[in-house]
Amino acid sequence: MAEEDDARIRILQSLRGKICEAKNLGPVSGPNRLKDLCTFCTISLDQEEVFRTKVFDKSITPFYGEDFFFEIPRPFQFLSFYVYAKGVFQRDLPVGKVSIRKDDLCKYSGKDDWFNLQPVDPNTEVQGKVHLEMRLNEVITDHGSTGQHLLVKIIECKELPLISGQNCDPYATVSLVGPARSDQKKTKVKKKTSNPYFEETFFFEVTRSSSYSRKSQFPVEEEDIEKLEIRVDLWNNENLAQDVFLGETRVPVKILQSDRVHKAWYLLQPKGTGSKSKSDDLGQLRLKLTYIEDTVLPSTCYTPLCNLLLKSPDVKPISASAAHILGDIFRERYEAVLPMVRLLLYHSRFVPFVSAVAALELDNTQEANTIFRGNSLATRCIDDMMKIVGKSYLAVTLKPVIDEICDSNKTCEIDPIKLKEGDNVEVNKENLQVYVQKVFSSITQSSSNCPPLMCDVFRSLRHLACKRFLGDPHVQYSAVSSFVFLRFFAVAVLSPHSFQLRSHHPDPEIARTLTLISKTIQTLGSWGSLSKKLSSFKESYMYDFYKSFQEEKCIEKVKKFLDEISSNVSKESCRQEDAVVLKEGEVQKRTQGKKNFSKRNFKKRWLRVTNRELSYHKRKGKEALCTISVKNIQAVEKLDESAFNRKNMFQVVLSEMPLYVQAGNCVEASEWLEILGQVSRCNEGRLTTYHSSNYTAGAWQCCKNQSGSAPGCKPCTITMLANLQLDIDCDREAERIFSLLSSNESKLQNMEDACASMAVYQGPQREQEEYSKFTIQEPKETFQTLKQLRNVMEELQRQHNSRNNTTAQYGSLDNPIVGKTS
């Protein structure tokens, strides 16, 4: 963790979920009927698109099945899901949207819900905030009476949306609006910026209109002020076309006190005057969402909790350890074990812990053929470990053959009932057999790429299984194959998009092919007699297909592979670290050395970073145009938008000249900064300061220093220490564990009560029914650990409470006012 910034509190947001399917999609504007169009979905943070599904073939009930996960790097008001009809010779047509306020996300978190699509109305598509200064002054009129003048100063705006992928040309209108008046004034247009700085002041006379018969120039009475409001509208100047609405905010004049300045940030709001068409006409979208917001305290706050969890492998019995208690309490919540696994992995305590837990499970396993078949703490921990540690192993082993299967799109259906007209089952069977052989060979020849930590776990499982079932010669293999084939490779083949082997969910026909391959791989890799294997197939066509493989040869290959990945030879020292692709994707890269800001100086490139080098290519799969050793990176920082009038830009600082890159959106930019910062954080030549803008016209635009070699004018970002290949932030994992325990204190109390009951009555004979959910071997030891956990949690809660008072002031940039809507 970062020792340099011990007092810093981080608010980290993440979103995980699935765009499942749509139904009854309604008509879109234009001559096309929706059933004749292909559709796709996007996800936006306010108005910034951060995710897009693939295009689904013509259907009004498309099944998207797209999983997504990303860190949210900035504040936002709305999370929106859009359904579009793909245009062929015209722009894509919006079908409808689902918009969820950030404050409402917790209502849907962890749930699978159908949402009605709402109309996409330009007047509701807003983003950003505006900084205003307002004052109500008393003045003496020409007639000697007292009147009131209103001063409205529009200072600046932040985070306005992109228009057609480019920074907008914003201006603002400022109006004083009442039942019988609407005085409007306008700022100058600011060019190509999403963060315009206006600094323009407007004055309004707040008096009775001359038509008022009784007291035409008297001061405004209290009830009149109640009806007046200041309205600020942001627009994008379109020159020849109609200007685009960017958002508005309304401030009641009554909140202003005479001669006092009111200065605050306001969130821009929709107009609220959009289309009233029935949402039922547009269809529905099924979504599964999990939104998490972690308030991460300084590292020292989590030291007691981490120490308690990390000593778990040494606790006897293991069931009395803090880590085992955590898994026991949340045995029905699969994702709850993940932060604990990540914490143990980071501190190299995973292998001894999972070995102890596996030994406990084996003690309760009566038959060798049921070994590690259930959803136990041991299997959940090892599943999570393989997904984290084995990510690059899967990519090296399976990605080439998975890409071939998905791209070639050969028919492999062998079920007679599902065959289409014109299909040849023998040709299909031959296609499937070729694919299975390729996948099987890729797996059984991959032992040299198996991560050392996975090998250590498999070696331990093999040893424990042999010790438990001394007379069974096969159990040493089934203990390993039940994980590496059934829970790792077969699952990755079935859902390659879930393991980052493919960017999108496969088409139904490809998905069917992968299902058949996965079934066969499970059977080929499982350990048992041929009759047992064949009995696992309920379908006769799979039974016949499997018999076409040479059983003995397959068994020998599997046996050799399992021996190699669970042998007693440690691979750590005899193998150089492989190059691991940490991130790759399309970006806009500025041509280095160019002096002007022409769009032509930015070109699409495929950027790729491994733990060894950064490279960019003309397109994905092409030879590198330039390769940079990560050891030569001196800093990785954001670039001011004003440098090139582009958002989401960052710079890779090198000794010769910086590399300027524009990411596709804020999520992509944040990921590039995080990964490049991590991979270069220990470089000897790393800088402590940097320039936040570019050098042009003979000076750095950020500090106006005219020396091109001048040291930076801003301190470099402190990169939080994390394990690059495992992508683990220990403070964040500890905070998630604390949150889980805090929200389930009743379960901790039930476990304490069970321990007390068992200790008093000298055994489990009087334990209540709910106590049987816990694994308690030594009640006194377990009770002691529970007390320690409770003490740690109370102290952490106190730390959180003491920092809750530091929330940003309402009306500040970090906590803007949600203004009145129309």
Side-chain angles (χ1 to χ4, degrees):
M1 297 301 99
E3 297 175 1
E4 301 92 336
D5 195 6
D6 193 50
R8 189 162 70 108
I9 298 175
R10 295 179 291 150
I11 308 297
L12 304 177
Q13 308 169 94
S14 64
L15 185 72
R16 181 187 301 277
K18 175 180 280 192
I19 301 175
C20 304
E21 59 183 318
K23 66 180 180 181
N24 304 324
L25 293 181
V28 294
S29 58
N32 298 306
R33 296 179 63 190
L34 191 60
K35 68 179 183 179
D36 299 325
L37 294 174
C38 302
T39 61
F40 63 92
C41 291
T42 66
I43 303 177
S44 292
L45 296 173
D46 296 323
Q47 292 306 297
E48 184 175 14
E49 182 183 315
V50 294
F51 180 84
R52 178 178 290 218
T53 69
K54 67 178 182 180
V55 178
F56 196 90
D57 288 340
K58 301 173 184 178
S59 172
I60 61 171
T61 57
F63 181 82
Y64 299 108
E66 295 271 7
D67 296 295
F68 59 85
F69 172 78
F70 51 84
E71 301 289 340
I72 301 175
R74 64 168 178 80
F76 69 101
Q77 294 185 66
F78 289 93
L79 175 71
S80 299
F81 299 81
Y82 293 81
V83 179
Y84 286 94
K86 183 69 177 173
V88 181
F89 301 111
Q90 56 184 332
R91 64 182 180 86
D92 300 329
L93 302 172
V95 177
K97 69 174 182 179
V98 174
S99 283
I100 306 171
R101 282 188 176 274
K102 177 187 173 182
D103 295 341
D104 294 333
L105 278 172
C106 57
K107 299 177 185 177
Y108 308 105
S109 192
K111 297 178 182 177
D112 191 323
D113 289 299
W114 282 98
F115 295 84
N116 290 329
L117 290 175
Q118 304 295 327
V120 177
D121 178 1
N123 286 329
T124 65
E125 305 292 296
V126 303
Q127 174 185 319
K129 43 193 138 179
V130 59
H131 196 193
L132 302 176
E133 182 180 312
M134 294 160 284
R135 186 169 64 186
L136 198 61
N137 295 327
E138 287 195 358
V139 295
I140 306 296
T141 68
D142 294 338
H143 299 85
S145 59
T146 303
Q148 289 181 306
H149 280 186
L150 174 67
L151 175 151
V152 179
K153 182 178 183 180
I154 178 165
I155 303 170
E156 61 179 318
C157 292
K158 293 283 189 186
E159 300 167 7
L160 297 180
L162 298 177
I163 303 294
S164 300
Q166 300 296 323
N167 283 334
C168 53
D169 295 335
Y171 69 90
T173 59
V174 183
S175 307
L176 181 62
V177 181
R181 65 184 293 173
S182 181
D183 302 337
Q184 186 179 93
K185 301 183 181 183
K186 177 182 172 183
T187 69
K188 295 176 182 177
V189 175
K190 299 297 179 179
K191 293 290 186 181
K192 301 299 178 191
T193 177
S194 295
N195 300 305
Y197 195 72
F198 293 104
E199 278 289 334
E200 294 192 43
T201 304
F202 303 98
F203 294 92
F204 297 90
E205 188 175 355
V206 184
T207 57
R208 295 283 190 187
S209 66
S210 58
S211 62
Y212 190 75
S213 58
R214 289 192 297 157
K215 300 178 181 178
S216 61
Q217 295 298 327
F218 271 35
V220 175
E221 296 174 357
E222 190 68 28
E223 60 267 22
D224 296 318
I225 287 186
E226 292 276 341
K227 301 173 184 177
L228 292 176
E229 64 181 11
I230 304 155
R231 191 182 76 208
V232 178
D233 295 85
L234 269 295
W235 299 86
N236 180 59
N237 182 48
E238 290 286 329
N239 292 324
L240 301 178
Q242 184 177 354
D243 293 349
V244 176
F245 176 73
L246 300 178
E248 70 169 29
T249 190
R250 294 172 177 245
V251 184
V253 174
K254 66 182 181 181
I255 72 166
L256 304 180
Q257 298 179 11
S258 293
D259 297 321
R260 285 205 180 174
V261 174
H262 175 78
K263 191 175 182 179
W265 283 91
Y266 284 83
L267 281 174
L268 294 176
Q269 299 293 311
K271 266 188 181 175
T273 57
S275 169
K276 302 297 181 183
S277 63
K278 293 182 179 179
S279 59
D280 292 345
D281 298 336
L282 302 177
Q284 293 181 298
L285 186 65
R286 185 163 70 91
L287 303 170
K288 186 174 183 180
L289 305 174
T290 300
Y291 170 74
I292 297 174
E293 184 173 293
D294 298 312
T295 303
V296 183
L297 304 178
S299 297
T300 51
C301 298
Y302 299 106
T303 301
L305 177 59
C306 289
N307 288 342
L308 190 59
L309 289 164
L310 294 175
K311 73 176 186 180
S312 293
D314 304 322
V315 174
K316 306 294 184 199
I318 192 65
S319 61
S321 68
H324 193 284
I325 288 171
L326 181 68
D328 217 16
I329 287 174
F330 298 109
R331 65 174 64 186
E332 74 282 0
R333 291 184 59 181
Y334 194 88
E335 76 282 358
V337 173
L338 181 59
M340 179 185 74
V341 169
R342 294 165 75 87
L343 202 62
L344 292 169
L345 281 171
Y346 184 89
H347 291 281
S348 302
R349 299 291 283 160
F350 179 80
V351 176
F353 174 73
V354 83
S355 297
V357 172
L360 176 60
E361 180 176 335
L362 285 170
D363 286 343
N364 296 316
T365 303
Q366 303 304 317
E367 296 183 17
N369 60 358
T370 62
I371 192 170
F372 299 127
R373 291 298 173 92
N375 186 25
S376 64
L377 179 57
T379 59
R380 288 155 65 197
C381 286
I382 296 172
D383 282 354
D384 282 339
M385 177 276 296
M386 291 191 298
K387 289 175 184 175
I388 298 168
V389 176
K391 189 184 295 184
S392 60
Y393 178 35
L394 279 176
V396 170
T397 306
L398 289 183
K399 193 172 189 336
V401 66
I402 294 292
D403 285 343
E404 179 187 345
I405 293 167
C406 294
D407 295 339
S408 61
N409 201 16
K410 291 181 180 178
T411 304
C412 297
E413 184 56 72
I414 58 175
D415 183 353
I417 299 174
K418 295 183 179 181
L419 288 173
K420 296 179 181 177
E421 187 177 350
D423 280 354
N424 186 319
V425 70
E426 292 303 320
V427 172
N428 292 357
K429 189 180 291 185
E430 187 177 329
N431 292 338
L432 182 59
Q433 193 165 18
V434 169
Y435 284 153
V436 169
Q437 288 287 8
K438 286 186 176 183
V439 172
F440 183 71
S441 296
S442 296
I443 294 171
T444 54
Q445 295 172 14
S446 69
S447 61
S448 61
N449 294 318
C450 187
L453 194 141
M454 285 177 65
C455 293
D456 291 342
V457 171
F458 296 150
R459 182 166 59 252
S460 176
L461 294 177
R462 181 174 180 166
H463 170 74
L464 291 169
C466 288
K467 185 178 177 182
R468 173 67 179 85
F469 298 99
L470 293 172
D472 192 325
H474 302 297
V475 74
Q476 59 179 320
Y477 296 111
S478 60
V480 179
S481 67
S482 62
F483 285 103
V484 73
F485 277 100
L486 274 64
R487 293 174 175 267
F488 186 57
F489 284 121
V491 179
V493 170
L494 186 64
S495 302
H497 59 290
S498 300
F499 291 82
Q500 292 79 53
L501 299 177
R502 297 288 290 183
S503 56
H504 296 291
H505 190 281
D507 294 329
E509 192 169 318
I510 298 295
R512 174 61 179 165
T513 297
L514 295 174
T515 299
L516 296 172
I517 295 171
S518 179
K519 282 185 175 183
T520 313
I521 291 298
Q522 283 188 52
T523 309
L524 288 171
S526 64
W527 202 264
S529 66
L530 179 60
S531 60
K532 283 185 179 179
K533 289 184 177 186
L534 294 179
S535 65
S536 67
F537 290 122
K538 297 177 182 178
E539 310 94 339
S540 59
Y541 61 87
M542 286 301 297
Y543 180 97
D544 295 333
F545 176 69
Y546 182 79
K547 287 199 297 184
S548 65
F549 290 90
Q550 294 179 313
E551 173 74 10
E552 292 304 319
K553 286 187 176 181
C554 289
I555 287 177
E556 285 304 311
K557 288 180 180 178
V558 170
K559 183 176 179 293
K560 182 175 181 292
F561 170 68
L562 295 176
D563 280 334
E564 290 170 346
I565 63 172
S566 60
S567 66
N568 289 320
V569 179
S570 174
K571 298 165 61 176
E572 195 97 48
S573 59
C574 62
R575 177 167 151 254
Q576 186 182 6
E577 184 183 23
D578 289 334
V580 179
V581 177
L582 302 172
K583 183 172 176 61
E584 58 182 337
E586 189 176 81
V587 299
Q588 293 276 347
K589 187 195 77 69
R590 186 171 190 271
T591 305
Q592 291 175 282
K594 296 291 183 182
K595 301 294 184 184
N596 60 52
F597 294 172
S598 169
K599 290 183 181 178
R600 289 175 295 178
N601 291 333
F602 282 87
K603 295 184 177 179
K604 284 185 180 180
R605 292 290 181 257
W606 188 263
L607 195 64
R608 187 173 188 262
V609 61
T610 72
N611 51 335
R612 294 179 184 174
E613 61 190 26
L614 173 68
S615 59
Y616 57 85
H617 314 245
K618 195 166 185 178
R619 286 187 298 276
K620 183 180 180 180
K622 296 292 184 181
E623 290 293 320
L625 298 174
C626 179
T627 300
I628 302 163
S629 172
V630 296
K631 294 180 180 179
N632 295 333
I633 296 176
Q634 297 179 331
V636 184
E637 297 290 342
K638 290 181 180 178
L639 193 69
D640 287 348
E641 178 191 316
S642 58
F644 299 105
N645 289 325
R646 288 174 176 246
K647 295 185 76 171
N648 302 318
M649 287 206 66
F650 63 92
Q651 55 181 317
V652 181
V653 182
L654 307 167
S655 57
E656 309 82 25
M657 62 178 67
L659 182 69
Y660 295 129
V661 179
Q662 182 186 27
N665 54 60
C666 64
V667 171
E668 286 287 310
S670 177
E671 290 176 355
W672 282 114
L673 283 164
E674 177 71 18
I675 290 170
L676 287 168
Q678 287 286 354
V679 81
S680 61
R681 75 182 303 275
C682 297
N683 288 352
E684 290 182 5
R686 184 141 180 118
L687 300 177
T688 56
T689 59
Y690 76 102
H691 290 286
S692 61
S693 192
N694 59 334
Y695 185 86
T696 187
W700 290 102
Q701 296 307 297
C702 44
C703 59
K704 305 306 178 185
N705 194 313
Q706 296 181 356
S707 172
S709 58
C713 55
K714 287 188 176 180
C716 287
T717 305
I718 297 169
T719 305
M720 299 297 292
L721 177 62
N723 186 311
L724 256 181
Q725 293 188 37
L726 302 186
D727 186 25
I728 293 171
D729 178 343
C730 286
D731 290 348
R732 190 176 192 179
E733 305 305 335
E735 172 60 30
R736 287 185 175 173
I737 291 170
F738 165 70
S739 298
L740 283 165
L741 290 171
S742 297
S743 60
N744 287 269
E745 283 195 59
S746 59
K747 291 186 177 181
L748 286 173
Q749 186 61 55
N750 286 343
M751 198 170 192
E752 280 189 22
D753 293 344
C755 290
S757 175
M758 292 172 68
V760 169
Y761 294 108
Q762 300 299 314
Q765 65 272 19
R766 295 198 182 186
E767 61 179 318
Q768 298 178 21
E769 185 178 343
E770 62 264 27
Y771 297 168
S772 62
K773 298 176 183 177
F774 307 124
T775 304
I776 303 173
Q777 293 173 287
E778 292 290 342
K780 290 182 180 179
E781 288 288 336
T782 306
F783 187 84
Q784 187 64 31
T785 304
L786 286 164
K787 281 295 183 187
Q788 290 175 323
L789 262 177
R790 192 174 289 281
N791 291 339
V792 166
M793 287 169 57
E794 288 173 357
E795 176 59 23
L796 257 176
Q797 188 60 60
R798 190 188 66 77
Q799 297 273 8
H800 272 284
N801 293 341
S802 68
R803 287 168 167 82
N804 282 344
N805 299 325
T806 62
T807 304
Q809 182 180 353
Y810 191 50
S812 66
L813 177 61
D814 293 328
N815 190 15
I817 296 170
V818 180
K820 180 182 174 184
T821 57
S822 56

